[in-house]
PDB file of all heavy atoms in Angstrom:
ATOM      1  N   LYS A 189       2.922 -12.223  20.545  1.00  0.00           N
ATOM      2  CA  LYS A 189       3.630 -10.962  20.352  1.00  0.00           C
ATOM      3  C   LYS A 189       5.125 -11.230  20.420  1.00  0.00           C
ATOM      4  O   LYS A 189       5.591 -11.932  21.299  1.00  0.00           O
ATOM      5  CB  LYS A 189       3.202  -9.972  21.434  1.00  0.00           C
ATOM      6  CG  LYS A 189       3.753  -8.594  21.226  1.00  0.00           C
ATOM      7  CD  LYS A 189       3.144  -7.643  22.195  1.00  0.00           C
ATOM      8  CE  LYS A 189       4.117  -7.468  23.326  1.00  0.00           C
ATOM      9  NZ  LYS A 189       3.704  -6.431  24.242  1.00  0.00           N
ATOM     10  N   VAL A 201      -1.952  -7.855  16.822  1.00  0.00           N
ATOM     11  CA  VAL A 201      -0.528  -7.877  17.112  1.00  0.00           C
ATOM     12  C   VAL A 201      -0.275  -7.751  18.602  1.00  0.00           C
ATOM     13  O   VAL A 201       0.664  -8.309  19.135  1.00  0.00           O
ATOM     14  CB  VAL A 201       0.172  -6.728  16.356  1.00  0.00           C
ATOM     15  CG1 VAL A 201       1.644  -6.682  16.664  1.00  0.00           C
ATOM     16  CG2 VAL A 201      -0.072  -6.872  14.859  1.00  0.00           C
ATOM     17  N   LYS A 224     -29.377   4.481   5.513  1.00  0.00           N
ATOM     18  CA  LYS A 224     -30.747   3.973   5.460  1.00  0.00           C
ATOM     19  C   LYS A 224     -31.377   4.404   4.156  1.00  0.00           C
ATOM     20  O   LYS A 224     -31.266   5.538   3.724  1.00  0.00           O
ATOM     21  CB  LYS A 224     -31.535   4.507   6.644  1.00  0.00           C
ATOM     22  CG  LYS A 224     -31.001   3.967   7.953  1.00  0.00           C
ATOM     23  CD  LYS A 224     -31.991   4.158   9.062  1.00  0.00           C
ATOM     24  CE  LYS A 224     -31.380   3.541  10.308  1.00  0.00           C
ATOM     25  NZ  LYS A 224     -32.328   2.977  11.181  1.00  0.00           N
ATOM     26  N   PRO A 237     -46.874 -17.994  -6.366  1.00  0.00           N
ATOM     27  CA  PRO A 237     -45.893 -18.556  -7.296  1.00  0.00           C
ATOM     28  C   PRO A 237     -46.349 -18.372  -8.731  1.00  0.00           C
ATOM     29  O   PRO A 237     -47.539 -18.346  -9.025  1.00  0.00           O
ATOM     30  CB  PRO A 237     -45.848 -20.046  -6.920  1.00  0.00           C
ATOM     31  CG  PRO A 237     -47.153 -20.303  -6.243  1.00  0.00           C
ATOM     32  CD  PRO A 237     -47.543 -19.023  -5.573  1.00  0.00           C
ATOM     33  N   LEU A 280     -63.197 -55.186 -26.840  1.00  0.00           N
ATOM     34  CA  LEU A 280     -64.063 -54.066 -27.197  1.00  0.00           C
ATOM     35  C   LEU A 280     -65.487 -54.283 -26.683  1.00  0.00           C
ATOM     36  O   LEU A 280     -66.124 -53.364 -26.171  1.00  0.00           O
ATOM     37  CB  LEU A 280     -64.060 -53.861 -28.718  1.00  0.00           C
ATOM     38  CG  LEU A 280     -64.789 -52.628 -29.240  1.00  0.00           C
ATOM     39  CD1 LEU A 280     -64.241 -51.349 -28.625  1.00  0.00           C
ATOM     40  CD2 LEU A 280     -64.703 -52.564 -30.766  1.00  0.00           C
ATOM     41  N   ARG A 305     -56.228 -30.838 -27.406  1.00  0.00           N
ATOM     42  CA  ARG A 305     -55.152 -31.797 -27.689  1.00  0.00           C
ATOM     43  C   ARG A 305     -54.138 -31.826 -26.551  1.00  0.00           C
ATOM     44  O   ARG A 305     -53.742 -32.895 -26.081  1.00  0.00           O
ATOM     45  CB  ARG A 305     -54.467 -31.424 -29.009  1.00  0.00           C
ATOM     46  CG  ARG A 305     -53.327 -32.349 -29.368  1.00  0.00           C
ATOM     47  CD  ARG A 305     -52.845 -32.145 -30.772  1.00  0.00           C
ATOM     48  NE  ARG A 305     -52.756 -30.745 -31.136  1.00  0.00           N
ATOM     49  CZ  ARG A 305     -52.628 -30.331 -32.400  1.00  0.00           C
ATOM     50  NH1 ARG A 305     -52.604 -31.197 -33.388  1.00  0.00           N
ATOM     51  NH2 ARG A 305     -52.528 -29.044 -32.663  1.00  0.00           N
ATOM     52  N   ILE A 326     -64.952 -36.644 -22.249  1.00  0.00           N
ATOM     53  CA  ILE A 326     -66.214 -36.012 -22.640  1.00  0.00           C
ATOM     54  C   ILE A 326     -65.896 -34.945 -23.682  1.00  0.00           C
ATOM     55  O   ILE A 326     -65.209 -33.966 -23.385  1.00  0.00           O
ATOM     56  CB  ILE A 326     -66.911 -35.391 -21.412  1.00  0.00           C
ATOM     57  CG1 ILE A 326     -67.173 -36.473 -20.360  1.00  0.00           C
ATOM     58  CG2 ILE A 326     -68.204 -34.694 -21.815  1.00  0.00           C
ATOM     59  CD1 ILE A 326     -67.606 -35.934 -19.006  1.00  0.00           C
ATOM     60  N   LEU A 340     -65.169 -31.742 -31.687  1.00  0.00           N
ATOM     61  CA  LEU A 340     -63.967 -32.436 -31.223  1.00  0.00           C
ATOM     62  C   LEU A 340     -64.039 -33.953 -31.374  1.00  0.00           C
ATOM     63  O   LEU A 340     -63.018 -34.624 -31.296  1.00  0.00           O
ATOM     64  CB  LEU A 340     -63.717 -32.107 -29.741  1.00  0.00           C
ATOM     65  CG  LEU A 340     -63.263 -30.686 -29.427  1.00  0.00           C
ATOM     66  CD1 LEU A 340     -63.161 -30.490 -27.927  1.00  0.00           C
ATOM     67  CD2 LEU A 340     -61.922 -30.389 -30.085  1.00  0.00           C
ATOM     68  N   PRO A 379     -48.798 -48.537 -11.417  1.00  0.00           N
ATOM     69  CA  PRO A 379     -48.903 -47.136 -10.998  1.00  0.00           C
ATOM     70  C   PRO A 379     -47.587 -46.643 -10.422  1.00  0.00           C
ATOM     71  O   PRO A 379     -46.845 -47.389  -9.789  1.00  0.00           O
ATOM     72  CB  PRO A 379     -50.012 -47.155  -9.937  1.00  0.00           C
ATOM     73  CG  PRO A 379     -50.078 -48.570  -9.461  1.00  0.00           C
ATOM     74  CD  PRO A 379     -49.624 -49.430 -10.610  1.00  0.00           C
TER      75      PRO A 379
END
Side-chain angles (χ1 to χ4, degrees):
K189 187 172 99 173
V201 178
K224 294 197 178 213
L280 187 57
R305 179 169 42 195
I326 301 169
L340 290 176

